[in-house]
Amino acid sequence: MIRLGVIGHGGRASSFIRNCMRPVCETDLRIVGIVDPDEKGARSRLGPEDVDVRFFSSVDELMRGAGPDAVVIGTRCNLHAPVAVECAAYDVPVFLEKPVAISYSQSADLERAYQSSRAPVLVSFPLRTSPLCVLAKSLLDDDAVGVRHHILATNYVSYGTVYWEKEYRNYEITGGLFLQKATHDFDYMMYLMDSPIISVTATAHYGGIFGGDKPADLRCSACDQRHTCPESPENRVRNGSGGSADHLCLFSEAAGTPETGTNEDTSSALVEFADGAHGVYTQVFFSRRDAARRGAVVSGYEGTVDFDWYRNDLIRTRHHRPFTDRITAAGGMSHFGGDTELARNFVALIEGRESAAADIWDGIRSVNACLAARESAKTRKHVAVRLPGKSDSRSD
C-alpha cells in the first residue's frame, strides 16, 4: 500500500490523485494525512478509500504523525517553494505543483534545500510527458531535423479568462502569467532542444483588455450589464466562448494594475539556449474557441517537426526528400495525456523503479527562465537566466 500525504488538497491535487494516480497504481493507495486550512473543502474531495485520513496543522506534524511514503504539494503558488523546502528534510518522494517558486529568493531557497536532500522530486510538467511531446523528442533525437537551430512555441489560451475571474488574478499569489503558463512551455522547450535557456528578452501587454474599475467583489449575476457584456454567462453560452457559471467580473479593480501587479493580456519572449540555438515563445490569453493552439515548431537544416496539442497531430517535413508525415494522436486526455504519464512516473518513483521525469532542477531552470522573462518585460532589458549551481546576487 502507498500511504500518501497531501499538503493543499484542492481541486488540482485531488483530481490528480483521484483521476490519474489511482488508475495507474497497481497497489492500494490511500491518503493518510492532509495539511489544509480548509478542512471542510479538503474532506469533500476525498474518496471512499480515505476513511482513516488525519488532518495536521504543519508539515512536521504530518510527517511525524502519519509517516507517509510520499507527499503531494498542491498549495497556492506562493507556498509551493516554502512547503517544498520543509519537505526536503524528510527524504520522501515529493510531487510538486508548478511553478516551483514565484521569486528569485524562493528559487534560491529551493536550490539550497535540495542540494543536500535525498528526497526525489517530480515537478508537475505534464506537457513534456504528453505522448505528442515525447514523440517529437524521439524524432528530434533520431535527427529528424539534424542540429536543432530554432524553436517557435505558441500558446493561444481559449480559457484565459480564468486568470481574471478566479483566484489566479491575485498577483501576489501567482506572480504573473510567465510563471503560471510559460513555466510549462519553457520546460518542454528546453526538453525538446536538449539545452537550458540562458537568456531572455521579453515584452508584455498589461491592462489593455481585462481589469478596470468595477467593484472587487462584483459578480455577473449582480451586474446591470450582464445582458450586453460578452463575458456574461448568458453571452458566453450564446457565442460558445466559455462556460455558463456565474463568475467574478474580469473588469474589476481586483484584477490589479500594471503598477500594483497584474496578469498580462499577452506576452512574448525571445530565448537563447546554451548550445547557441534560439527560440520564440508567445502566449495570448484572450483567444477563444477555434483560435486555441499550443505547440511548437522545431527547425534544423535537415527538416522541421511541427506539433500542436489542440490540432492533436505532429507533422514531420523532410527538407531534402519529397516526403512529409502527419501523425495523429488520441484525444480527450488530461493535459493532453501528460498527467497520466506523470502519475505513472510518480508511482514508480515512490516504489523505487524510476527516476523523476522532471526533477527539481528542471523546475528551477524553468522558473528562473520565467523570472528572467518577467524581469525583462518590466525593465525592457535583456536578462541572463540564472542556472542552478551558479552564484547570482539578484533579489526580488
Side-chain angles (χ1 to χ4, degrees), residues 194-209:
D194 200 24
S195 184
I197 294 172
I198 61 169
S199 67
V200 180
T201 303
T203 188
H205 184 256
Y206 303 93
I209 296 178

Side-chain angles (χ1 to χ4, degrees), residues 270-321:
L270 175 66
V271 302
E272 179 187 7
F273 296 90
D275 64 0
H278 80 277
V280 180
Y281 172 71
T282 291
Q283 52 186 6
V284 177
F285 294 96
F286 48 82
S287 302
R288 303 295 168 91
R289 305 179 58 250
D290 295 340
R293 64 172 294 133
R294 195 174 197 180
V297 182
V298 181
S299 302
Y301 179 67
E302 300 298 332
T304 296
V305 170
D306 171 0
F307 70 93
D308 184 275
W309 282 289
Y310 287 103
R311 197 178 66 210
N312 217 29
D313 67 8
L314 180 148
I315 302 170
R316 175 191 178 182
T317 302
R318 294 166 172 82
H319 287 180
H320 308 292
R321 298 184 68 192

Side-chain angles (χ1 to χ4, degrees), residues 360-379:
I360 189 65
W361 309 110
D362 294 314
I364 291 173
R365 277 186 286 269
S366 171
V367 86
N368 284 355
C370 292
L371 290 166
R374 187 177 70 180
E375 179 184 349
S376 176
K378 290 182 177 180
T379 63

